[in-house]
Amino acid sequence: MPAGHGLRSRTRDSFSRPFRKKGTIALTTYLRTYHIGDYVDIKVGNRIIRKRIHVRVEHVMPSRCTEEFRLRKVKNDQLKAEAKAKGEVISTKRQPQGPKPGFMVEGATLETVTPIPYDVVNDLKGGY
């Protein structure tokens, strides 16, 4: 019979514990709270894959991919509340970083470099 090509096919080693790392697992693994839709990181071989799939708790750890977004969201809410109190309208959209400002180089001296003439006769003798 041919091999199956299902979602978790050929994962016998992917989700197994490493050599000499078997046994009881730390309690913090089981005490973490996961909600529906949370991103988790799964280690498969030498890669860390960000997934939203149903696997056992021992194989996952909470992903940090949305930390920056959550902090930015709280900061934007504070800025909007302050602006509303002042009666202003602000934009909280992220702007791309523009080019660096130009500047003038001062105090630099110019140095003229001239080539050394090539002398065939001295080169054959082995010196200048």
Side-chain angles (χ1 to χ4, degrees):
M1 295 183 79
H5 299 286
L7 180 66
R8 292 180 59 165
S9 64
R10 302 178 183 92
T11 57
R12 177 179 179 175
D13 297 325
S14 299
F15 296 127
S16 66
R17 306 264 299 156
F19 180 64
R20 291 186 183 162
K21 302 286 185 192
K22 296 172 173 48
T24 56
I25 299 171
L27 282 178
T28 55
T29 305
Y30 295 110
L31 295 176
R32 284 193 189 113
T33 55
Y34 295 101
H35 301 287
I36 295 175
D38 281 355
Y39 284 103
V40 293
D41 291 338
I42 299 175
K43 280 188 179 179
V44 178
N46 59 350
R47 297 176 296 154
I48 295 178
I49 304 173
R50 188 185 72 174
K51 291 278 189 177
R52 289 196 329 187
I53 64 172
H54 181 72
V55 293
R56 289 185 57 117
V57 178
E58 295 91 0
H59 305 298
V60 298
M61 59 186 303
S63 181
R64 299 180 63 188
C65 65
T66 56
E67 273 185 6
E68 192 266 333
F69 166 72
R70 290 179 184 158
L71 293 174
R72 194 174 74 242
K73 188 175 170 185
V74 170
K75 180 182 160 195
N76 286 346
D77 289 342
Q78 290 176 350
L79 291 174
K80 286 178 187 176
E82 292 172 3
K84 189 172 183 180
K86 294 179 184 176
E88 299 175 351
V89 177
I90 62 167
S91 175
T92 56
K93 292 183 178 179
R94 292 180 289 175
Q95 296 296 325
Q97 187 176 9
K100 293 180 181 178
F103 61 93
M104 295 293 291
V105 178
E106 296 178 2
T109 58
L110 294 176
E111 181 181 343
T112 307
V113 179
T114 57
I116 299 172
Y118 182 69
D119 191 5
V120 178
V121 177
N122 283 336
D123 190 38
L124 293 175
K125 291 180 182 177
Y128 272 100

